[in-house]
Amino acid sequence: VTGCAAGIGFAIAESLAEQGAQVVGLDIDKDIPEIMKKIGGIGIVVNLTEDQPVQDAIDFTVREFGGIDIVVSNAGIFPKNDAFDVMAQTDWDGTLMINLTNHQKLMNKVIHFVKESVDGSIIFVGSRNFKAPGTSAHSCSKAALTQLCRVAALELAPWKIRVNIGY
């Protein structure tokens, strides 16, 4: 579960743990190891925009538990609401990196492990803003994440991997 130090991500991690899952939580929050201990999980401090630490966390999870059955890609940001004509390019780029690209990169790294599971599932946490525009960078990134999920669902259907997005 990514982005699980608080909020929706923590609630998902907690629910999975209560149902008997071995949960590994990835978050940029330095307290994630202690936070995950509360639910019997393992927390790893990871900046999801950095490829090697993400790969290391995945490799650890596979070594520790023998595979990956469920991936919950939750990490995201809700930036300030600047109009396109005044938004700093770094704000746009950063929002798309966190709210879209990090989800694609994570999925890319875990797909072959999920294909080996008996009942694989990839879940993205999106936003209601994909239907009705709100903040520019956030709405655009979440609409693209919804489409990423749809394409992944089609591509992974032959392996009976469920790919869903929650709002």
Side-chain angles (χ1 to χ4, degrees):
V1 180
T2 68
C4 63
I8 293 170
F10 181 77
I12 292 168
E14 185 176 41
S15 177
L16 288 169
E18 287 171 355
Q19 295 175 59
Q22 298 293 322
V23 180
V24 177
L26 309 181
D27 203 290
I28 199 167
D29 188 317
K30 65 178 176 42
D31 295 327
I32 193 64
E34 291 302 316
I35 292 167
M36 292 304 293
K37 278 184 187 176
K38 295 175 188 174
I39 61 168
I42 296 172
I44 303 173
V45 178
V46 175
N47 180 336
L48 293 167
T49 66
E50 297 174 357
D51 290 337
Q52 193 57 53
V54 172
Q55 186 64 57
D56 292 345
I58 292 166
D59 293 343
F60 165 81
T61 302
V62 171
R63 278 192 316 273
E64 188 73 15
F65 300 108
I68 298 175
D69 300 319
I70 302 169
V71 177
V72 179
S73 195
N74 169 66
I77 59 173
F78 192 89
K80 59 185 175 185
N81 189 19
D82 285 339
F84 287 122
D85 61 338
V86 296
M87 180 187 302
Q89 188 64 44
T90 55
D91 290 342
W92 173 268
D93 294 344
T95 301
L96 264 67
M97 175 57 80
I98 298 296
N99 289 355
L100 176 62
T101 304
N102 101 72
H103 297 276
Q104 176 273 326
K105 289 171 120 182
L106 177 67
M107 184 177 56
N108 176 268
K109 291 176 184 338
V110 298
I111 281 177
H112 66 278
F113 297 114
V114 178
K115 282 181 177 179
E116 294 173 1
S117 76
V118 175
D119 195 20
S121 189
I122 299 173
I123 302 148
F124 296 100
V125 177
S127 170
R128 296 175 299 177
N129 278 2
F130 86 97
K131 287 184 181 178
T135 61
S136 53
H138 184 262
S139 292
C140 290
S141 65
K142 292 299 187 169
L145 180 62
T146 299
Q147 194 67 4
L148 174 78
C149 175
R150 291 172 176 161
V151 171
L154 292 172
E155 288 184 7
L156 296 172
W159 288 272
K160 299 188 182 341
I161 297 170
R162 290 179 312 279
V163 183
N164 293 297
I165 190 163
Y167 303 108

